[in-house]
Amino acid sequence: MPAEPLSRPRIVAAAIDLIEREGADAVSMRRIAAGLGVGVMSLYNHVPNKSALLDGVAETVLSQVEFTDDPDADWTDRVRMQALAFRQIAHHYPRCTMVVVSRQLQSTAGLLPVDRALATLRSAGFDGHDAVRILRVFIAYIVGSLLREVGVTPTFAPVPHSDVAVENVDPVLFPQVSGLVPQLVDFDPEAEFAFGLELLIQAIAVQLRR
């Protein structure tokens, strides 16, 4: 069968695959061309440079976020659904999500989730300034939780398959850590994320009442 024609979606898909395997630092036009079995100069007919390629990666990942927003639902339920939708795609593309949050996207894919989140917060009664700040808090929480799950950042609650031996901590020097070993080594990412999300929503609801 003839080879699939070179195209921007095919190039972006190759970049996504490479990022998920080796991280964003591994991406180069030469590396992508080699993976596709084409000359590096042929890529420039579809993607002008590496920066544009990474924008394409971010846009493609964001375009797969499935928002099931109900304008008639309470704002807390809408925020919850939006956060879970973003987390779902972030969990599927953990390394590409780091690319997403590092790009300033002006495309429909980049602006749509931001606009929906801000619209939800504004409809709840927050002014523009607070809506933007709350959105940033949610993004920080979602991304931070994801980093912990994939083991990118250290944490006091070891992730699965961690080599952190909390049970060997000196109980005299660290009585709280030693006494809570079962809780510290127990990690359910779904439950942990839901717990933190509810704390955020409750805190924001208090802020709104004020």
Side-chain angles (χ1 to χ4, degrees):
M1 294 182 63
E4 182 182 351
L6 191 62
S7 63
R8 185 177 185 276
R10 187 180 171 206
I11 295 169
V12 170
I16 290 174
D17 180 66
L18 178 60
I19 291 170
E20 289 304 320
R21 286 187 287 109
E22 301 183 31
D25 289 342
V27 175
S28 69
M29 300 298 274
R30 188 174 300 278
R31 185 76 185 277
I32 297 298
L36 292 171
V38 300
V40 66
M41 296 306 296
S42 63
L43 298 184
Y44 293 103
N45 294 322
H46 307 277
V47 182
N49 50 50
K50 178 180 175 179
S51 179
L53 176 58
L54 293 177
D55 282 346
V57 168
E59 291 165 0
T60 299
V61 171
L62 277 177
S63 69
Q64 296 182 43
V65 179
E66 296 182 1
F67 289 111
T68 54
D69 191 23
D70 180 3
D72 296 325
D74 185 78
W75 71 269
T76 58
D77 292 328
R78 297 175 67 190
V79 166
R80 189 178 295 107
M81 286 188 293
Q82 291 168 12
L84 291 173
F86 185 81
R87 179 181 184 273
Q88 183 177 28
I89 200 67
H91 199 266
H92 190 66
Y93 297 104
R95 289 183 166 179
C96 286
T97 299
M98 299 305 102
V99 177
V100 171
V101 299
S102 71
R103 315 300 292 181
Q104 291 291 338
L105 301 178
Q106 302 299 318
S107 64
T108 299
L111 294 177
L112 182 59
V114 174
D115 195 76
R116 286 186 175 180
L118 291 174
T120 298
L121 294 169
R122 294 300 303 278
S123 68
F126 293 103
D127 63 25
H129 183 255
D130 283 346
V132 169
R133 294 175 69 185
I134 292 169
L135 173 61
R136 288 172 176 161
V137 168
F138 273 109
I139 292 173
Y141 173 68
I142 295 169
V143 174
S145 297
L146 176 69
L147 288 173
R148 183 179 64 177
E149 286 182 42
V150 300
V152 174
T153 59
T155 172
F156 289 113
V159 296
H161 313 301
S162 171
D163 58 359
V164 178
V166 181
E167 64 274 11
N168 296 330
V169 170
D170 188 330
V172 176
L173 292 176
F174 308 104
Q176 294 302 319
V177 173
S178 178
L180 293 173
V181 165
Q183 290 76 22
L184 287 170
V185 299
D186 179 34
F187 182 71
D188 181 341
E190 299 291 339
E192 295 277 346
F193 182 83
F195 178 76
L197 182 60
E198 291 308 311
L199 285 182
L200 274 180
I201 291 174
Q202 291 175 29
I204 293 167
V206 171
Q207 179 69 17
L208 180 60
R209 289 194 293 271
R210 289 177 179 173

